[in-house]
Amino acid sequence: MGNQVVIAVGTFILLLTGLLLGYVLSQLVLGFLAFNLLTFFGTLSLILIFGTLYYVLFWQLRREQSRPSTIDEGIPNQVDEGVSDSYLKNRLIAKLSGDTAAAERLIEQAKETYPGMPENWYCERVLDDLERDRSGE
């Protein structure tokens, strides 16, 4: 919930700063506001505040979206979006000494056991199972 508060407050301040910046710039362009050192630094500070808030807000949103979610019943976390299917399949095939058919069989077994999960999840699950089996030997 803390991240949602940060996002809501950041969005409000970003909106307010954007409106104020738009107003100041329109007054400068229309000639109702004299261009001097004070208006220059004021406008520059509004631009910096707006840019910083924009960057921080979208950085926070991206970080929140990429955070893996946990699943109940002891099933491992879902894999981040940035990890591709092919990377995980290549890791799995490498663990199986290049046996592509065995990798596909293990993925299909995981799909039958845990239906409805993303493709990345099945690869990660099989990799975790292999690690656990090898460390248990």
Side-chain angles (χ1 to χ4, degrees):
M1 178 153 141
N3 289 339
Q4 292 174 345
V5 171
V6 169
I7 291 170
V9 169
T11 302
F12 176 74
I13 294 172
L14 188 65
L15 179 67
L16 190 66
T17 307
L19 288 172
L20 187 59
L21 180 61
Y23 175 77
V24 168
L25 289 176
S26 69
Q27 296 304 304
L28 280 169
V29 169
L30 292 174
F32 297 125
L33 191 59
F35 187 77
N36 55 31
L37 198 58
L38 181 65
T39 56
F40 172 76
F41 284 125
T43 305
L44 185 63
S45 68
L46 282 173
I47 290 170
L48 289 175
I49 291 169
F50 186 82
T52 304
L53 278 170
Y54 187 83
Y55 175 78
V56 168
L57 182 64
F58 283 97
W59 174 76
Q60 181 74 17
L61 281 170
R62 178 178 230 166
R63 197 177 102 201
E64 188 169 307
Q65 287 175 350
S66 69
R67 182 177 300 146
S69 60
T70 56
I71 302 173
D72 294 333
E73 302 170 4
I75 300 171
N77 291 346
Q78 286 192 6
V79 180
D80 287 344
E81 296 284 328
V83 179
S84 68
D85 291 339
S86 61
Y87 171 76
L88 290 171
K89 281 188 180 178
N90 287 340
R91 271 186 51 201
L92 178 58
I93 292 168
K95 283 226 182 276
L96 296 171
S97 302
D99 192 350
T100 308
E104 292 297 328
R105 271 194 316 274
L106 289 170
I107 290 172
E108 288 304 315
Q109 286 174 354
K111 285 181 180 179
E112 289 173 10
T113 307
Y114 306 101
M117 301 302 284
E119 188 69 26
N120 281 352
W121 188 88
Y122 293 117
C123 292
E124 189 68 31
R125 177 69 187 202
V126 171
L127 282 166
D128 289 344
D129 288 347
L130 285 174
E131 285 290 325
R132 187 176 56 248
D133 291 346
R134 289 190 178 170
S135 66
E137 288 179 355

